[in-house]
Amino acid sequence: MGNLLIVRNGSREHGERNLHVRHHHSDYEPRNISTNWGILDLGYTNLNDNTNYASAGARQFAPGANKNWFKTRYGFWPKTVDINIWLFMQRFNLIKHVVNLKYGVGIELNNYMYEYNIRYLTNPTQVIMDTIQYSKNKLATDYLTIPVMLNFSVKGKWSNGRFEGNQASR
């Protein structure tokens, strides 16, 4: 989209005016580096448990476990949440604004609230049903994330059997 320029051309004496309308294309050129700061993602985390609890590996990791052990808490608001705080995300032009490199730095926070009193042990690595009655049973994982993505942004058009490049600036 561009600007619209109206030029009035005519004589006031005769009371007639000719209007000439010209459409000017903007000289917008996408930047080679685009940066976004402070992005927040909020999500609901769920567990899709397809574990075969009769297998030897499952019996060793979680003795006596069944699918109900890992049931997550529900309520009016989701109890298991995923929060991502992206400090920045950048897009760097590699080839004519069609091929871009996207990267950033962020913190991922995952919280799993369990319905039952399961406990994770570290030595040996196991999950057990605890005898202690917890008011909150929660597993939290926090990560520093540095995503890198090769991004293709094709916004051109096909004309006469050939591709006419990236039309994002028009």
Side-chain angles (χ1 to χ4, degrees), residues 1-7 20-28 169-170:
M1 300 300 290
N3 297 324
L4 188 64
L5 177 65
I6 299 175
V7 179
H20 299 281
V21 178
R22 288 184 279 183
H23 185 71
H24 289 279
H25 290 286
S26 68
D27 293 331
Y28 171 74
S169 64
R170 293 188 182 144

Side-chain angles (χ1 to χ4, degrees), residues 5 14 19 26 47 55 60 75 85 93 108 118 146 149 166:
L5 177 65
H14 300 290
L19 294 178
S26 68
L47 182 66
S55 71
Q60 183 179 358
I85 303 167
N93 173 33
E108 291 188 44
I118 62 173
I146 303 172
M149 176 176 69
N166 190 349

Side-chain angles (χ1 to χ4, degrees), residues 8-164:
R8 292 183 182 176
N9 186 10
S11 169
R12 288 182 182 252
E13 299 170 4
H14 300 290
E16 70 181 54
R17 293 184 183 168
N18 295 325
L19 294 178
H20 299 281
V21 178
R22 288 184 279 183
H23 185 71
H24 289 279
H25 290 286
S26 68
D27 293 331
Y28 171 74
E29 184 67 29
R31 293 178 287 170
N32 287 328
I33 296 178
S34 172
T35 306
N36 295 335
W37 297 95
I39 303 166
L40 179 68
D41 291 337
L42 300 174
Y44 169 73
T45 304
N46 199 359
L47 182 66
N48 186 10
D49 188 3
N50 292 321
T51 305
N52 177 6
Y53 289 100
S55 71
R59 284 189 309 228
Q60 183 179 358
F61 180 70
N66 59 43
K67 199 172 216 167
N68 288 335
W69 277 27
F70 300 96
K71 185 177 176 184
T72 55
R73 281 181 130 176
Y74 293 96
F76 183 72
W77 296 105
K79 303 292 184 188
T80 55
V81 293
D82 174 37
I83 300 171
N84 299 319
I85 303 167
W86 301 102
L87 304 176
F88 77 94
M89 292 290 275
Q90 244 178 8
R91 179 190 47 81
F92 179 72
N93 173 33
L94 294 176
I95 302 172
K96 295 184 180 181
H97 301 284
V98 174
V99 180
N100 303 290
L101 182 67
K102 290 186 93 173
Y103 52 89
V105 173
I107 300 168
E108 291 188 44
L109 310 166
N110 293 291
N111 291 310
Y112 298 91
M113 300 288 285
Y114 293 113
E115 188 72 34
Y116 299 106
N117 299 318
I118 62 173
R119 183 174 175 187
Y120 289 89
L121 303 176
T122 56
N123 197 6
T125 304
Q126 282 187 330
V127 178
I128 62 168
M129 182 63 75
D130 207 343
T131 58
I132 300 171
Q133 187 66 31
Y134 301 116
S135 60
K136 290 184 181 180
N137 191 8
K138 172 179 167 179
L139 171 66
T141 59
D142 303 332
Y143 300 99
L144 176 67
T145 305
I146 303 172
V148 177
M149 176 176 69
L150 190 60
N151 175 259
F152 296 92
S153 177
V154 181
K155 295 181 182 175
K157 65 178 182 177
W158 288 92
S159 176
N160 297 328
R162 64 182 259 257
F163 186 70
E164 293 187 0

